Amino acid sequence: MSNHMKKISLLLGGLLVLAGAKSVHASNIPAGLAWVTNAHNTISITSYTGPGPAVSIPSAINNMTVTTIESEAFLDNVDITSVTIPSTITEIQDNAFDGCGSLTGATIPSSVTTLGIGVFRLCSHMTAITVDAANPNYTSQNGVLFNKSMTTLIEYPESVFVATAYTIPNGVTTVDAQAFWGCSHLLTVVCPASVTSLGDTAFIGCNAITSITFMGNAPKPGSEVFLGDTATTAYYYSGAKGWGTSFAGIPTVKLTITLPSGAVEVTLTPAGAISAGAKWQADHGANETSGMTVSGLSVGNHVVTFTTIPNWTTPASQTVAVANGQTNRIIGVYTFDGKGNPMVAITAPKPNQVVSNPAVTLTGTATDIAALNGIQVRLDSGVWTSARQNAGSWSNWFYSTVVAGGTHTFSVYATDTTGSVSKTNSVSFKYIPSSTLTVATNGLGSVNPVENGRLLAIGANYTLTAMPKLNWIFSSWVATGGASFVSNNPVLHFKMAENLELTANFVTNVFRAAQGTYNGLFEPLNQQRAQSNSGAFTLTVASAGMFSGKLTIGTSTTPLTGKFNPAGAATVVTSRHGLNTLTTSLQLNFADQSVRGTVTDGSFDASVWGDKEVFSASHPAANFDGHFTMFIGGSGSANTGPPGLSHGTVTVSPAGAVTFMGSLADGTSVSQMSFVSKDGHWPMYVPLYNGKGSILCSNIFAGKNGFFAVSGSWINETNASRTAVDRAGFTNDSVLLQGRAYAPTNGASSSTELSFSDGGLSGQFNIPVNITANDMVTMAAAAPKADKLFMTINKTTGNITGSFANPSNPKQIISFTGVELQNPFAFVGYFLNSNIAGVFIDAP
């Protein structure tokens, strides 16, 4: 190894010193904890086999942030009774603490954005799952884990209540997979009408449950919802469909059917008692019966659906609703005068009136019922039908298909005992089916216009706008009842459906603390960085989650505009002229004041990472500000870059602004304005060569001592200029960068030796020099005067300029540039000789 290469190795060794400045000592890591390193230097906890009773998961290991607890990481560890989860954790995967039978409680920090299923499954002593109130995605109520909007019940701890009954809060629409797994102490559960789906194995192992009451139609079930619940008796109302094999293994199912006169309970057994087409009849009082026909619902090996068909007489004050598009009955109750006139008045919906029951009622005065011989009635152009006499009055059932929006005509005439025929009276109406809209709010906000409780036309289009109160933001619209959907747009355009219920959800404005500017980098994880698949980004987040910014790839920029949802997620799709569309997915980490995500154009997938600018005049970067000199290690191969040492100066202001100015070893001048994050990260991206190259480095400051690159690369695609140093281009995927604090101090006089090599020289040669106390550099007496060395140091910045004579051609004067490094002292830089790069170094 040449002397100058040895000196470069010594310089780069300083990276290890800086890198170790923020390492976590092994004594802070619990014994038995295992982990893996992810991309971009984050840590995932993979297992813990150590002792209890209390375990504290570290927030960082070897200077890398712990962000993930992987699936089954603490599986069946019965020694631990409590666990502390740090605020750096963003993901806890499926069954992470499965079987930790002695664990009594845990708090999910606000930083967690992703929770798997069954995280605390079979924790038999778990009394409560607690969620930090600032968490934007999750919450807990009485120890039960929900999503933030309380629409999904995620997990019910085994010992959360001493009581043996639990009623799911109204508004919950989904019971998640494994939510009640192994809750053997529960005897009864009540599901409100809002619950529309049950996850796989939601109640598996709840072997003490005797009843699960569904207050509405049966929710859509996953597989094996009640597996092993041999004592379960399930209740639900009419209209329930689609249970599949969810009741397999349950000996008895009781069905509560709602009829006009009340409810009737039917007990079914799957032991051959149910067959398709079977009927149950229930007596509901005078003149009322109901038929229920079997088809469709799975109970054990049998398929059953109950459809109620009303068939009863009514007093004059009652009407019966007619469903749109179905053949049903319109009931008319009427009397006649002694002259045989069939009616005094006909009451029906007004034209285009929005109604819920399109019934027709006939009324009159009966002065001589006996004189009446017969009555003929019809609806629309149907067949005339004879009415019947019943207990002194005349009545009849009328059958017709009532079409929404269609015009309908009800007609009637009468005959008397003498054969006289009355005039035909009729009334026309247009039926617009309707239903009452229910509008609710969750959180602080209002809805405009106020439509709650109004009768609206089914199938018609309407618009509602959700308006949050101060310091609150809109989260989502959730529709239940006659329609089921979720919308993240505060302006909701919807089509009215029967029994529709809309809830506008508002949450605390999490973006007040997230406001500010974020800067970072993006590059692919699983393929080589190229000029077209990497770059930098900047993003400014406003108070309500709106953001604007840009992606920079070389000399081109792509705008980023959009709005984060309350969970801090957003996706932006932007088109590019002549190039593939970019899709950028972003996720804010509110606790860590960072943003992560992905960028793809279909041909590459790049990871995004960046941090918020937190420093200012009132909150100075006291741990990082100062002046630094830096260098980038040279390459020994033409394919990976020039051999000289690129160099520069870096200034970090008290407000955290980073100013970089330097010179690359191929003669290219570079500069960048950036910032340093609260953790000392400096995202460095410098476009080069008119967009055909760049330097990308993720740097980290080790306090005021200096900084180093945790990853970096330098790309030069091609440079056709005849004066270019590397016309064929190169890619250096392992850039080694180091910076050290610099201060213009006077020291003792010293002597050293400057080394020059490569760059077309015939070989390495050295020039002995003397350095005065005020950094003046002169050739030592032993140096040949033919070397013609000239060198100056800018004491303010640490920059070096100079020149020397080519030993092979003393008339040729070659210029060099560099910087002075301190602690320890060194001179580093490069020179160019006929467009060939060479190394200038001194490292005593």
Side-chain angles (χ1 to χ4, degrees):
M1 179 184 293
S2 65
N3 288 335
H4 84 269
M5 289 303 293
K6 291 178 181 178
K7 292 179 178 181
I8 292 175
S9 298
L10 290 172
L11 283 173
L12 296 178
L15 291 172
L16 301 177
V17 176
L18 290 174
K22 294 179 67 177
S23 297
V24 174
H25 297 293
S27 59
N28 294 332
I29 302 174
L33 190 72
W35 64 88
V36 296
T37 302
N38 304 318
H40 302 300
N41 301 299
T42 61
I43 295 292
S44 289
I45 303 301
T46 57
S47 68
Y48 177 73
T49 57
V55 177
S56 180
I57 300 173
S59 60
I61 297 175
N62 295 335
N63 196 39
M64 291 177 283
T65 303
V66 178
T67 61
T68 305
I69 302 175
E70 291 193 354
S71 177
E72 300 183 348
F74 290 77
L75 179 67
D76 293 335
N77 191 316
V78 297
D79 293 327
I80 61 174
T81 59
S82 66
V83 61
T84 300
I85 302 173
S87 60
T88 58
I89 295 294
T90 60
E91 179 181 11
I92 304 177
Q93 296 180 358
D94 296 352
N95 312 126
F97 296 90
D98 188 5
C100 294
S102 300
L103 189 61
T104 58
T107 298
I108 297 170
S110 60
S111 56
V112 172
T113 59
T114 303
L115 277 175
I117 61 174
V119 170
F120 299 104
R121 188 179 74 176
L122 298 180
C123 294
S124 56
H125 285 75
M126 175 72 74
T127 57
I129 302 173
T130 306
V131 180
D132 188 304
N135 190 296
N137 294 336
Y138 303 99
T139 188
S140 61
Q141 184 184 87
N142 298 324
V144 182
L145 179 62
F146 298 88
N147 67 338
K148 193 69 174 182
S149 60
M150 293 281 292
T151 57
T152 299
L153 191 157
I154 299 173
E155 191 163 357
Y156 183 101
E158 287 199 36
S159 301
V160 67
F161 294 128
V162 177
T164 57
Y166 180 63
T167 298
I168 297 173
N170 190 33
V172 172
T173 60
T174 301
V175 176
D176 221 347
Q178 303 184 16
F180 288 85
W181 184 304
C183 293
S184 57
H185 66 290
L186 281 175
L187 298 180
T188 62
V189 176
V190 176
C191 290
S194 60
V195 174
T196 58
S197 66
L198 303 176
D200 296 346
T201 63
F203 292 92
I204 188 172
C206 299
N207 50 29
I209 286 183
T210 59
S211 70
I212 304 173
T213 302
F214 299 99
M215 302 306 293
N217 288 341
K220 180 181 179 182
S223 63
E224 300 180 326
V225 173
F226 306 99
L227 185 66
D229 305 345
T230 56
T232 299
T233 300
Y235 297 79
Y236 64 96
Y237 290 97
S238 62
K241 297 179 181 180
W243 280 93
T245 60
S246 298
F247 285 110
I250 300 174
T252 302
V253 177
K254 290 187 178 181
L255 302 156
T256 300
I257 308 302
T258 301
L259 297 174
S261 294
V264 60
E265 184 178 277
V266 180
T267 301
L268 309 177
T269 60
I274 304 171
S275 59
K279 290 180 179 291
W280 281 263
Q281 297 290 336
D283 186 7
H284 300 284
N287 300 316
E288 293 186 11
T289 60
S290 177
M292 293 169 284
T293 304
V294 179
S295 68
L297 171 67
S298 175
V299 181
N301 295 323
H302 302 277
V303 178
V304 183
T305 293
F306 283 79
T307 304
T308 60
I309 303 176
N311 183 14
W312 67 96
T313 59
T314 67
S317 61
Q318 284 190 327
T319 60
V320 177
V322 179
N324 176 39
Q326 298 179 355
T327 299
N328 286 283
R329 299 166 181 175
I330 290 182
I331 301 172
V333 180
Y334 38 83
T335 57
F336 299 86
D337 61 24
K339 298 180 180 179
N341 292 322
M343 66 193 77
V344 173
I346 300 176
T347 303
K350 297 178 181 179
N352 298 316
Q353 183 181 0
V354 176
V355 295
S356 57
N357 296 320
V360 177
T361 302
L362 290 81
T363 60
T365 303
T367 58
D368 189 2
I369 295 295
L372 203 58
N373 183 50
I375 298 173
Q376 298 292 313
V377 293
R378 74 174 181 180
L379 189 62
D380 296 336
S381 59
V383 177
W384 286 98
T385 305
S386 298
R388 68 171 184 266
Q389 188 173 10
N390 181 28
S393 65
W394 295 82
S395 61
N396 201 69
W397 302 105
F398 301 104
Y399 298 86
S400 180
T401 298
V402 179
V403 179
T407 299
H408 303 279
T409 301
F410 185 87
S411 304
V412 59
Y413 71 91
T415 60
D416 62 16
T417 55
T418 67
S420 300
V421 178
S422 73
K423 66 180 180 180
T424 299
N425 285 357
S426 60
V427 64
S428 296
F429 63 93
K430 183 177 288 186
Y431 168 45
I432 301 176
S434 66
S435 186
T436 299
L437 175 66
T438 300
V439 180
T441 57
N442 180 24
L444 296 185
S446 60
V447 175
N448 185 50
V450 179
E451 299 282 18
N452 182 45
R454 282 195 57 192
L455 201 62
L456 301 182
I458 294 175
N461 295 316
Y462 298 90
T463 299
L464 294 176
T465 301
M467 299 178 295
K469 298 293 186 182
L470 182 65
N471 297 331
W472 287 70
I473 59 173
F474 169 78
S475 172
S476 65
W477 284 102
V478 177
T480 57
S484 179
F485 59 82
V486 176
S487 173
N488 294 321
N489 192 332
V491 179
L492 177 66
H493 303 285
F494 67 96
K495 182 174 290 186
M496 183 60 188
E498 188 175 1
N499 299 322
L500 181 62
E501 297 181 8
L502 298 175
T503 300
N505 295 295
F506 303 93
V507 297
T508 303
N509 188 355
V510 294
F511 297 106
R512 295 181 67 194
Q515 294 179 77
T517 300
Y518 296 73
N519 292 277
L521 308 171
F522 62 93
E523 63 176 319
L525 286 179
N526 300 317
Q527 64 187 98
Q528 187 179 45
R529 181 176 95 85
Q531 181 64 12
S532 60
N533 64 15
S534 58
F537 79 92
T538 184
L539 202 69
T540 299
V541 180
S543 60
M546 301 291 293
F547 63 85
S548 62
K550 63 182 179 180
L551 295 170
T552 299
I553 301 178
T555 55
S556 299
T557 60
T558 300
L560 280 179
T561 58
K563 184 176 183 180
F564 288 108
N565 65 24
T571 298
V572 181
V573 178
T574 48
S575 59
R576 299 183 296 171
H577 181 68
L579 297 172
N580 291 350
T581 297
L582 282 180
T583 299
T584 306
S585 298
L586 301 172
Q587 177 65 58
L588 281 175
N589 186 323
F590 296 100
D592 197 36
Q593 296 181 304
S594 64
V595 62
R596 299 292 184 266
T598 59
V599 177
T600 181
D601 74 344
S603 64
F604 71 84
D605 292 290
S607 290
V608 174
W609 67 100
D611 299 285
K612 180 182 174 183
E613 296 182 18
V614 299
F615 297 117
S616 63
S618 60
H619 180 212
N623 293 330
F624 309 114
D625 62 341
H627 184 75
F628 307 84
T629 52
M630 59 161 284
F631 72 96
I632 299 174
S635 170
S637 169
N639 295 325
T640 56
L645 295 173
S646 305
H647 55 82
T649 61
V650 173
T651 301
V652 180
S653 74
V658 177
T659 302
F660 161 61
M661 300 185 68
S663 181
L664 301 182
D666 62 358
T668 304
S669 296
V670 291
S671 63
Q672 184 205 15
M673 297 291 293
S674 186
F675 85 108
V676 62
S677 75
K678 63 181 178 62
D679 296 320
H681 292 280
W682 163 28
M684 176 183 181
Y685 181 73
V686 182
L688 302 171
Y689 317 120
N690 295 319
K692 293 185 176 295
S694 60
I695 285 185
L696 185 151
C697 291
S698 178
N699 303 326
I700 187 166
F701 280 82
K704 289 178 174 289
N705 295 324
F707 54 86
F708 59 95
V710 294
S711 64
S713 59
W714 178 5
I715 293 175
N716 179 358
E717 288 186 330
T718 56
N719 196 336
S721 170
R722 289 182 297 172
T723 59
V725 173
D726 294 279
R727 296 181 64 184
F730 58 84
T731 296
N732 184 348
D733 282 330
S734 302
V735 165
L736 296 174
L737 177 150
Q738 181 184 151
R740 298 180 188 172
Y742 179 84
T745 58
N746 292 328
S749 300
S750 63
S751 61
T752 185
E753 199 170 58
L754 303 182
S755 297
F756 299 89
S757 61
D758 296 314
L761 299 180
S762 59
Q764 176 180 327
F765 80 99
N766 303 328
I767 302 176
V769 295
N770 293 323
I771 306 172
T772 66
N774 59 355
D775 286 340
M776 295 296 294
V777 179
T778 60
M779 288 191 299
K785 294 187 181 298
D787 291 338
K788 298 180 181 179
L789 176 71
F790 173 79
M791 175 175 162
T792 62
I793 303 173
N794 185 321
K795 293 180 60 178
T796 301
T797 64
N799 283 309
I800 294 172
T801 58
S803 62
F804 65 94
N806 187 341
S808 301
N809 181 11
K811 293 183 179 181
Q812 180 190 9
I813 304 301
I814 300 174
S815 298
F816 63 90
T817 65
V819 293
E820 177 187 350
L821 301 175
Q822 295 177 348
N823 299 318
F825 163 82
F827 294 145
V828 296
Y830 74 92
F831 64 90
L832 295 178
N833 179 17
S834 300
N835 299 327
I836 304 174
V839 178
F840 152 61
I841 189 170
D842 173 77

